[in-house]
Amino acid sequence: MKFLCIGYYNAQKMDAKPKGVIETVMSECGPHLDTFYKTGQVLLDVGVEQGEKQVRRNSGQVKVTASQEDGEKIGSVFILEAVNLEEAIRVASLHPSVQVEAGEEFGWRLEVHRVHTYKGDRN
């Protein structure tokens, strides 16, 4: 089974810290990513910049607006292969957003979603 995991952070809390502090915290992610990838269950891992635009349908037309500036943001998205939800949670728990202690201060968290349709290079 495949699982989509979405990592969130609080932009206001992270933006309030000096750049050096953020760089130090981010440098702690590498060893956790190594462990995460060594499971062999990570099919895709994408770190994303803060959202720039939203696209939605409004009054019968497609509207493009600026993304929300403050609050919770998506920081990463990844897809896992696992036999069940419990295993997906175990593997997702190896991700830096859960393992790096300072992440708690910045509102880092993950959601794990079962995927019911998937079109990709590893079906």
Side-chain angles (χ1 to χ4, degrees), residues 2 8 14 26 32 35-36 42 46 49 51 59 61 63 102 104 106 114 116-117 123:
K2 290 179 179 57
Y8 295 91
M14 287 192 71
M26 298 306 286
H32 299 291
T35 302
F36 178 65
V42 181
V46 179
E49 297 288 329
S59 300
Q61 295 185 3
K63 301 286 184 178
E104 185 175 350
F106 300 132
R114 186 170 288 128
H116 64 83
T117 57
N123 294 320

Side-chain angles (χ1 to χ4, degrees), residues 4-15:
L4 172 68
C5 302
I6 306 168
Y8 295 91
Y9 68 98
N10 184 295
Q12 291 172 320
K13 290 179 179 180
M14 287 192 71
D15 291 346

Side-chain angles (χ1 to χ4, degrees), residues 20-50:
V21 170
I22 299 301
E23 288 173 355
T24 299
V25 171
M26 298 306 286
S27 72
E28 296 176 31
C29 294
H32 299 291
L33 283 173
D34 290 343
T35 302
F36 178 65
Y37 296 145
K38 283 179 184 174
T39 65
Q41 294 174 268
V42 181
L43 304 180
L44 171 77
D45 184 21
V46 179
V48 298
E49 297 288 329
Q50 286 191 17

Side-chain angles (χ1 to χ4, degrees), residues 5 32-33 35-37 39 41-42 78 80 85-101 109-112:
C5 302
H32 299 291
L33 283 173
T35 302
F36 178 65
Y37 296 145
T39 65
Q41 294 174 268
V42 181
F78 54 94
L80 302 175
L85 179 60
E86 291 75 23
E87 183 182 33
I89 290 169
R90 181 189 61 76
V91 174
S93 295
L94 299 173
H95 192 269
S97 59
V98 178
Q99 292 296 316
V100 173
E101 191 172 328
R109 68 178 183 88
L110 289 177
E111 289 180 353
V112 180

